[in-house]
Amino acid sequence: MGVLVDTREQVWDHIEDTLGEKKIPVQRGKLPCGDYTALLPDEQGGFLSLEDEVVIERKANLDEIAGNFTVDRRRFEAEFLRAKAAGVKVFLLVENASWRKIYSHDYRSKMAPKALAASLLAWQVRYGITLLFCQPEDSGRIIYSTLYYWAKERLEGGAA
């Protein structure tokens, strides 16, 4: 299995390094939503993208996601609306984040902790996303593993 990375994803060297160390094939391409998806080998020796089934949207920190919920909310919400309408499962991965950091306002944005927590929790319900927090050094492994187990369930006829 490989990983397709959206061409608009800019700062992802730490993820690229992890995938490279594990010799995971990586391709760049434009995704309609999300930053990463799985690539499965096809019968012609190429890859089949699962972009119409599963994507991972990555944010570098709580300030970035807070900005998406305030300044960029319309554009950001439109992406989740498109994914939900198309039946695409979205995993929202936020690096350098934890609930403790949210509740203690350990980020620069002026967005109140209560509002940030409420937005994240409401979006899980509203758009069926799964929220993941991690440290940047773990992002590559979490991205690959999440996509791997999605593809595994799909291929084994599970409920993916």
Side-chain angles (χ1 to χ4, degrees), residues 14 31 70 114 118 135 139 143 150:
H14 59 298
L31 294 173
T70 55
K114 186 176 180 179
Q135 293 304 307
S139 294
I143 288 167
W150 180 277

Side-chain angles (χ1 to χ4, degrees), residues 66 82 98 122:
R82 281 192 309 274
S98 68

Side-chain angles (χ1 to χ4, degrees), residues 108-153:
R108 291 187 313 257
S109 172
K110 292 182 182 177
M111 186 176 195
K114 186 176 180 179
L116 180 54
S119 291
L120 288 167
L121 292 168
W123 281 41
Q124 285 189 108
V125 174
R126 191 177 302 151
Y127 301 111
I129 67 169
T130 299
L131 180 62
L132 305 167
F133 293 144
C134 74
Q135 293 304 307
E137 59 269 19
D138 299 322
S139 294
R141 178 176 289 167
I142 291 170
I143 288 167
Y144 180 78
S145 296
T146 300
L147 295 171
Y148 173 85
Y149 286 108
W150 180 277
K152 184 177 187 298
E153 286 295 312

Side-chain angles (χ1 to χ4, degrees), residues 73-115:
R73 189 177 185 99
R74 277 198 165 146
R75 181 199 59 77
F76 191 57
E77 190 164 22
E79 186 171 340
F80 284 84
L81 283 166
R82 281 192 309 274
K84 183 177 180 180
V88 176
K89 172 65 180 176
V90 178
F91 290 87
L92 177 59
L93 177 71
V94 185
E95 297 175 331
N96 299 297
S98 68
W99 289 109
R100 181 171 305 280
K101 283 186 172 190
I102 292 171
Y103 293 131
S104 65
H105 203 161
D106 187 9
Y107 52 94
R108 291 187 313 257
S109 172
K110 292 182 182 177
M111 186 176 195
K114 186 176 180 179

Side-chain angles (χ1 to χ4, degrees), residues 5 15 31 45 48 59 63 69 71 76 115 120-121 139 154:
V5 182
I15 296 164
L31 294 173
L48 168 70
K59 299 299 172 189
D63 289 304
F69 283 133
V71 178
F76 191 57
L120 288 167
L121 292 168
S139 294
R154 178 188 188 270

